[in-house]
Amino acid sequence: MPIIVDVDVDVDVMLARRKMPVGVLAERVGITPADLAVLKNGRAKAVRFSTRDALCAVLECQPGDLLRWVPEESDDEGV
């Protein structure tokens, strides 16, 4: 999957700067702490725009701060 929800390190840093516990972030975003853990661990297959919007609003950041693109490795080298 080339687009990765990259909230692990960035969110931890943002939370530390705001002195906000993870549970408070989950509550303000409107998701469970377990769902936030799935996002933070990179196991999410999809993230709703409303969740991304809420994360950005609560953390006062841009969507690009939470996403990154990684090119897929090709099995067909040189093709």
Side-chain angles (χ1 to χ4, degrees):
M1 176 178 5
I3 296 179
I4 297 172
V5 179
D6 193 18
V7 299
D8 186 19
V9 175
D10 293 336
V11 168
D12 288 338
V13 170
M14 291 178 200
L15 289 173
R17 288 182 184 156
R18 290 162 180 77
K19 298 179 182 172
M20 181 187 303
V22 174
V24 172
L25 175 63
E27 181 180 324
R28 290 185 183 174
V29 170
I31 60 176
T32 67
D35 286 340
L36 184 56
V38 168
L39 289 173
K40 286 175 50 58
N41 294 328
R43 295 187 321 251
K45 298 287 185 199
V47 182
R48 293 179 184 203
F49 280 106
S50 60
T51 301
R52 281 184 242 159
D53 179 55
L55 281 166
C56 289
V58 172
L59 295 172
E60 299 176 350
C61 67
Q62 295 296 313
D65 296 332
L66 305 176
L67 302 172
R68 87 184 139 95
W69 178 77
V70 177
E72 290 187 52
E73 292 185 19
S74 174
D75 291 337
D76 302 325
E77 292 183 28
V79 177

